[in-house]
Amino acid sequence: MTVSEISSKTVTVKAASIILTLALGYLGAGLAQLIHLPVPALLGSGILIAVLAFTPLPLSMPTLMRNIGFTILGCSMGSSITQEMLAKIGQWPLSLVGLGATVTAMMVASTWILVKYFQQTKNTALLASTPGALSTVVALASEGKGDLGTVVVLQSLRLILVMLSFPLIIHSLNLQGSMQLTAAQQASLPWHTVPALLLTAFAIAQMLEKLKLPAAYVLSGLILSAAGHLGGWLNGNLPSTIVTLGFVIIGCVVGTRLKGMKLSELRSLSLAAFISVGLSSLLAALGAGLMATALDLPFGQVWIAYAPGGIEAMAALALALHYDPAYIAAHHLSRIVAITLFMPLIARLLTVEKESQS
């Protein structure tokens, strides 16, 4: 077999794996809709793929597909941005201060729980409890400043638990947002405009990614689409079929995080992850409640903004649950940037601790 034939076969296998994963994601979305789960495209696909990740099925959602899904999400979010939302930016600084205090409390409490009750070292517990800057956290663990396997498993479980539980909690507590799209925003963009918007946002995101900007694909789509709609040269949202595709891709991305994880690892760390996420979510709810009262903001919106989940999944929830996506995206981005900036200090502390233990 020639090199070109091997390469062609590899591409075919990868494409088949992606198609299978998406097909199963759509199946999960359909089942979720049948049983009336909230945000079915996101929740259903995520649950089914997470379960099937422990089977021999060749599931995968590579970086390119992930970035396509995030671009779709960003462009859809941008179409819902209004002047009224932007007029509330003055509330953001105090809310961001509250976010900083809440995230600090979550990290301290989660680290303490993992050390005291689950026999983790302080290094591993701290890295596993850091919400955001995943690549930096994994890099530190890879350098021996924490147990890499434990950090990856706990971080993955945190993202999955938050994404899967928050829609159910928000829905059961009847905390859905009241943001309603106008008739113009609900209309679909002309089909010839859709590829131009998505391709432009994708190209801009690639440039932003080279500048190391977090969540570049979500932010690129959000900013470009919002500017177009506020400026009047875009009128309408992405077609619902495209938006659904974006939700399914994100659900598949989160679900496939469990691929390759051993059931033994899941059994040994699931309770630790559940308690850590539960405690962090309660602290996020406490901080959100105080800030929502102080700034007269919807509690559910602030809770999602403070939640220890990933920016992409939380932004998707903001869109699906009718909250201000700009507010939520800005808070999760600020958290990622702040944690990334503090990581060099954290790295030095971890090194000192490691040396002191030797």
Side-chain angles (χ1 to χ4, degrees), residues 123-139:
N123 286 3
T124 299
L126 178 59
L127 292 177
S129 302
T130 303
L134 181 60
S135 59
T136 306
V137 167
V138 171

Side-chain angles (χ1 to χ4, degrees), residues 52-55 59 153 255-263 265:
L52 295 177
F54 294 98
T55 70
L59 304 176
V153 171
T256 52
R257 282 182 174 272
L258 295 181
K259 192 66 179 174
M261 188 183 298
K262 298 177 181 178
L263 281 173
E265 293 177 323

Side-chain angles (χ1 to χ4, degrees), residues 177-238:
S178 58
M179 181 188 73
Q180 298 297 327
L181 299 179
T182 65
Q185 289 174 317
Q186 291 177 354
S188 293
L189 287 168
W191 271 103
H192 66 274
T193 305
V194 173
L197 173 61
L198 292 175
L199 288 172
T200 303
F202 193 88
I204 294 173
Q206 289 185 308
M207 292 186 287
L208 295 177
E209 194 173 39
K210 290 180 179 178
L211 299 175
K212 307 297 183 183
L213 182 70
Y217 292 87
V218 170
L219 294 176
S220 172
L222 188 153
I223 294 170
L224 179 65
S225 180
H229 284 86
L230 294 173
W233 47 273
L234 286 176
N235 190 18
N237 201 345
L238 294 175

Side-chain angles (χ1 to χ4, degrees), residues 198-333:
L198 292 175
L199 288 172
T200 303
F202 193 88
I204 294 173
Q206 289 185 308
M207 292 186 287
L208 295 177
E209 194 173 39
K210 290 180 179 178
L211 299 175
K212 307 297 183 183
L213 182 70
Y217 292 87
V218 170
L219 294 176
S220 172
L222 188 153
I223 294 170
L224 179 65
S225 180
H229 284 86
L230 294 173
W233 47 273
L234 286 176
N235 190 18
N237 201 345
L238 294 175
S240 59
T241 52
I242 301 294
V243 177
T244 299
L245 172 63
F247 279 132
V248 170
I249 288 175
I250 294 169
C252 291
V253 167
V254 174
T256 52
R257 282 182 174 272
L258 295 181
K259 192 66 179 174
M261 188 183 298
K262 298 177 181 178
L263 281 173
S264 58
E265 293 177 323
L266 184 66
R267 283 193 296 267
S268 64
L269 293 172
S270 57
L271 180 60
F274 183 81
I275 292 177
S276 172
V277 169
L279 178 60
S280 295
S281 298
L282 286 174
L283 290 171
L286 177 61
L290 294 173
M291 198 53 58
T293 301
L295 297 177
D296 192 25
L297 290 170
F299 166 71
Q301 174 176 303
V302 186
W303 195 19
I304 292 175
Y306 283 20
I311 180 174
E312 295 85 3
M314 294 297 99
L317 289 183
L319 183 64
L321 297 173
H322 308 294
Y323 285 122
D324 181 348
Y327 173 90
I328 290 172
H331 280 64
H332 281 278
L333 176 64

